Amino acid sequence: MNKVSNLNLFLISLLSLVLGIILIVATSDILTVFNYIFVCIFAICGVIWLISFFVSKDYVDYEYGNLILGIVFIWLSLVMYVYYTMIINILPIIFSLYLFIMGAFMIVSYFTKKKSNIKCLRYLIIGVISIIVGILLIFEPKLGVYTYLKITGVNIIVISLLFFFEIIHNLRTKNG
């Protein structure tokens, strides 16, 4: 792997580690702050897409996708602002979907690397664990949102540590 790939993997690992720690220590105040941050991010993205639609000289012909994206992002920011408690209640479902997709990605990565004769059993293990935790989060609604966040936080920390190990492995194989 080149330096840019290792740097990207390091930044993803670091941000994942921070996200995992935040999810483990999550309180209602932190969740409220996250909600307002996402509201701001979605509103800013919506405004940017709308501006890019109106600034584009070809918007009459084919740039209606920018208009639609701008409206959708602004709509999402308003929904997140108004229906915060409902979103908190469906957050476990969103996290379970994330874990399921992450697990599937890890399993595919395992088989892809296995074809290249790279030993990456950790991808298979974390993929299976992520899928199991994702399914558990869907079918066990009695645990509560904070328990879901803690489980997801631990899972994200494990994934970020595996990414750190991959960086170390890449550096050793490059230098060795």
Side-chain angles (χ1 to χ4, degrees):
M1 290 185 94
N2 59 20
K3 290 181 181 180
V4 174
S5 297
N6 278 335
L7 179 63
N8 288 341
L9 194 58
F10 175 75
L11 291 175
I12 289 170
S13 303
L14 187 64
L15 292 174
S16 297
L17 184 67
V18 169
L19 177 64
I21 291 169
I22 288 172
L23 290 176
I24 288 175
V25 298
T27 62
S28 62
D29 295 334
I30 290 175
L31 292 178
T32 303
V33 168
F34 271 147
N35 180 56
Y36 290 133
I37 289 171
F38 283 128
V39 165
C40 292
I41 289 171
F42 286 160
I44 290 170
C45 288
V47 169
I48 289 171
W49 282 110
L50 287 175
I51 289 172
S52 71
F53 170 74
F54 287 112
V55 169
S56 173
K57 295 177 180 162
D58 299 327
Y59 72 88
V60 175
D61 294 333
Y62 60 90
E63 292 294 328
Y64 288 107
N66 292 350
L67 176 66
I68 292 169
L69 280 174
I71 292 170
V72 167
F73 272 111
I74 291 174
W75 179 79
L76 277 174
S77 68
L78 292 173
V79 167
M80 288 182 72
Y81 181 74
V82 173
Y83 296 110
Y84 168 70
T85 55
M86 182 182 74
I87 291 172
I88 285 296
N89 290 330
I90 65 168
L91 196 60
I93 297 168
I94 294 169
F95 279 136
S96 68
L97 178 65
Y98 165 75
L99 289 173
F100 195 80
I101 291 171
M102 178 63 75
F105 174 73
M106 290 291 181
I107 290 174
V108 168
S109 294
Y110 166 75
F111 286 114
T112 303
K113 291 184 184 286
K114 187 177 179 183
K115 286 182 182 178
S116 304
N117 292 328
I118 299 173
K119 295 180 181 179
C120 293
L121 184 62
R122 62 184 175 265
Y123 285 109
L124 181 64
I125 293 170
I126 199 65
V128 170
I129 290 172
S130 295
I131 288 175
I132 290 171
V133 171
I135 291 171
L136 174 72
L137 293 179
I138 288 176
F139 292 112
E140 189 58 46
K142 297 176 184 174
L143 292 177
V145 173
Y146 297 109
T147 306
Y148 290 133
L149 293 177
K150 290 178 187 344
I151 290 171
T152 304
V154 169
N155 192 28
I156 289 173
I157 288 173
V158 169
I159 290 170
S160 68
L161 291 176
L162 288 173
F163 284 150
F164 281 124
F165 291 140
E166 184 174 341
I167 292 169
I168 293 169
H169 175 72
N170 290 340
L171 293 174
R172 283 185 182 167
T173 57
K174 181 181 175 184
N175 295 331

